[in-house]
Amino acid sequence: MIRIKVPCGAGYQEAEFPDNVKMELIDPPKKEVLTSIDFLIRNTLDPPIGTPRLEEMVNRRTKSPLW
């Protein structure tokens, strides 16, 4: 039997295969992340779907858009 362990979240998933199964390891090339974390956060929060922008929900009188 061939036993493999694959990373999954914080742990691993394990599987066993018979010896007669041909297997090949495929490791895709890693892509460099070209987008900054700041851009990703701003792009995700602005504009939200179906709601006003956060800047429109908060003004000088309100300290939080959630009551």
Side-chain angles (χ1 to χ4, degrees):
M1 282 288 200
I2 299 170
R3 178 179 228 151
I4 62 167
K5 228 171 141 176
V6 179
C8 182
Y12 292 90
Q13 289 290 322
E14 294 184 28
E16 288 185 359
F17 298 91
D19 291 330
N20 62 345
V21 173
K22 292 186 180 186
M23 301 177 79
E24 182 179 344
L25 176 64
I26 300 173
D27 192 13
K30 295 183 176 31
K31 292 185 178 181
E32 183 181 346
V33 177
L34 301 176
T35 306
S36 72
I37 297 296
D38 185 54
F39 173 79
L40 292 173
I41 292 171
R42 288 182 186 277
N43 194 40
T44 301
L45 293 176
D46 192 28
I49 298 172
T51 62
R53 293 168 48 155
L54 291 175
E55 293 91 353
E56 297 167 3
M57 296 171 68
V58 178
N59 60 40
R60 291 180 188 207
R61 290 186 209 147
T62 61
K63 295 186 182 193
S64 170
L66 305 172
W67 297 307

